[in-house]
Amino acid sequence: MTLTLRKIALKLRGEPFFLITLAATLAVSVFARPHASAINWSVISILFAQMLVCAAFEECALLSSLASWIVGVFRTPKTLGFAMVLLTGVLAMFVTNDIALLTVVPVTISISKLTGRGPRILVVLETIAANLFSAMTPFGNPQNLYLYSYFNIPAPEFFNTMLPFGALGIALLLLSVPLLCRGGCYNAERAPFVTKNRRLLIAAAAVFVVNILSVLRVVDYRIALALAAVVFLALAPRLFKSVDYVLLLTFILFFLFTDALTSIPSVRAFFGGLLGSKASVLLASAALSQIISNVPAAVVLSGFTGQYGALLLGVSAGGLGTLIASLASLISYKLYVRAFPDEARAYLKAFHALNAAFLAILLAALTVVLVL
């Protein structure tokens, strides 16, 4: 027992973000008690199932085979960058930003192993793409879905509101790819798909489809979770060791932290008096997203303003910036650091530099538009 606790302690020592989130949750809980009902178990179960699916795909050599094929088609960092960024973005529009990153980033890491070139900048660009493209549809991310339903926003009005934001953000992203993804051609030929363990691959693909349907609310997330548990317990129970349980615990803590923070009367009073104009809603929602992420920021501020257009734009832009501004960004960070444990600091430096630039440009443009 002592040995097990020691292993857990050593594991957590290498998880500074988890420790910071735990400390913040405990500190805020002194002033307001968080409620277990605040935990979004749908998000947790979907992430859990998707981690199992990705582990199965990797074991079946699907990711490495796909990576080989992609490198054979897109032979330079620039063309590969465009392909992977657009793939991430389009996926995010329809299956949410977190699922898009859980699907694409492992492939990107497999590609880097084939080419021998680090994927740091490309993973950061993919993360930005997931957050930007997902803002373009009502179901691309949780905050859009919440605000779309809460304010009963007409679909044409939603798309008219988000189109200028998306057009500018995506244009900046596509301009960034050739500037940041440089280098000569890869020494790789187009390779055919060669996978193994076909039974596990087919089962994992079925779980993947059901999991996506649960994201779209076609299937109850509990059904998707039960299917994943039954399939992988029966065919490959070893894959449960591949799940990043610390990341799941971090998400749970974050839900509890947000619930406690937003229950403090002084915090609620502060935001109630702050949101007097469209520009203030935009800037306040973007700023709050940097601290508690854009999903809870949308939930908190929706109760204090009817300026839902500015709020939509604020939490969408606010998904850029800090690592916790969008929980999807935390997913890609964890995937990257798991593959390259010695590059955590370098990744965070690149991530925050690019996200800060995108956030500053988008906020400046949006503020001008709302003021005028």
Side-chain angles (χ1 to χ4, degrees):
M1 184 66 178
T2 303
L3 182 60
T4 301
L5 291 175
R6 187 176 301 169
K7 287 182 178 180
I8 294 174
L10 289 173
K11 170 70 175 175
L12 294 181
R13 282 180 61 184
E15 301 286 348
F17 191 79
F18 169 80
L19 295 175
I20 292 171
T21 307
L22 175 61
T25 303
L26 292 175
V28 173
S29 298
V30 174
F31 303 96
R33 183 179 178 181
H35 302 90
S37 58
I39 300 172
N40 190 328
W41 291 111
S42 172
V43 170
I44 301 300
S45 67
I46 289 170
L47 287 176
F48 176 74
Q50 194 69 2
M51 288 178 187
L52 286 171
V53 167
C54 287
F57 283 164
E58 187 172 358
E59 181 166 311
C60 296
L62 177 65
L63 298 183
S64 57
S65 181
L66 180 60
S68 298
W69 183 84
I70 290 173
V71 172
V73 175
F74 304 100
R75 303 295 302 278
T76 67
K78 182 171 70 173
T79 57
L80 177 64
F82 278 123
M84 299 305 290
V85 163
L86 289 173
L87 173 62
T88 307
V90 172
L91 277 176
M93 292 174 68
F94 298 101
V95 300
T96 75
N97 49 357
D98 49 2
I99 297 300
L101 290 171
L102 272 169
T103 304
V104 175
V105 172
V107 177
T108 305
I109 292 171
S110 295
I111 290 172
S112 75
K113 294 177 181 177
L114 286 174
T115 62
R117 301 185 188 181
R120 183 189 313 139
I121 295 299
L122 183 52
V123 171
V124 172
L125 290 175
E126 288 170 353
T127 304
I128 293 174
N131 287 322
L132 287 175
F133 277 77
S134 68
M136 299 292 291
T137 62
F139 45 80
N141 52 51
Q143 68 271 15
N144 276 12
L145 187 59
Y146 169 78
L147 293 174
Y148 183 78
S149 301
Y150 182 83
F151 288 107
N152 197 24
I153 304 173
E157 186 176 352
F158 175 90
F159 290 113
N160 286 336
T161 299
M162 299 310 300
L163 183 59
F165 166 83
L168 176 58
I170 293 169
L172 289 173
L173 181 64
L174 296 181
L175 287 173
S176 300
V177 170
L179 295 175
L180 298 174
C181 299
R182 299 179 177 181
C185 291
Y186 300 123
N187 295 320
E189 298 297 329
R190 183 183 304 189
F193 283 103
V194 180
T195 58
K196 55 186 180 181
N197 199 340
R198 187 176 180 181
R199 184 183 179 192
L200 176 61
L201 180 59
I202 293 173
V207 173
F208 176 76
V209 171
V210 174
N211 206 38
I212 295 302
L213 291 176
S214 73
V215 172
L216 300 176
R217 291 181 170 80
V218 176
V219 174
D220 190 285
Y221 75 90
R222 286 161 290 202
I223 295 176
L225 177 62
L227 177 65
V230 170
V231 166
F232 292 116
L233 279 173
L235 297 181
R238 59 192 173 278
L239 295 180
F240 285 86
K241 295 181 180 179
S242 302
V243 174
D244 191 341
Y245 295 101
V246 175
L247 177 60
L248 297 178
L249 286 173
T250 303
F251 270 66
I252 290 172
L253 285 174
F254 211 74
F255 288 128
L256 295 174
F257 167 79
T258 302
D259 182 61
L261 181 67
T262 56
S263 297
I264 301 174
S266 58
V267 172
R268 298 188 64 84
F270 171 76
F271 285 111
L274 182 65
L275 310 175
S277 66
K278 291 182 179 180
S280 65
V281 172
L282 171 76
L283 296 175
S285 55
L288 185 60
S289 296
Q290 305 308 303
I291 304 170
I292 66 172
S293 97
N294 51 5
V295 177
V299 175
V300 171
L301 298 183
S302 62
F304 299 110
T305 180
Q307 303 284 359
Y308 54 78
L311 184 54
L312 265 172
L313 293 170
V315 294
S316 296
L320 306 168
T322 64
L323 188 64
I324 63 171
S326 169
L327 295 181
S329 300
L330 181 59
I331 291 172
S332 54
Y333 166 74
K334 292 286 291 183
L335 290 171
Y336 182 87
V337 172
R338 185 175 182 179
F340 305 98
D342 297 330
E343 297 188 20
R345 183 172 297 180
Y347 180 90
L348 289 175
K349 183 177 179 180
F351 176 90
H352 286 115
L354 285 172
N355 273 265
F358 272 79
L359 178 61
I361 294 171
L362 286 169
L363 277 183
L366 291 173
T367 301
V368 171
V369 169
L370 290 179
V371 169
L372 294 179

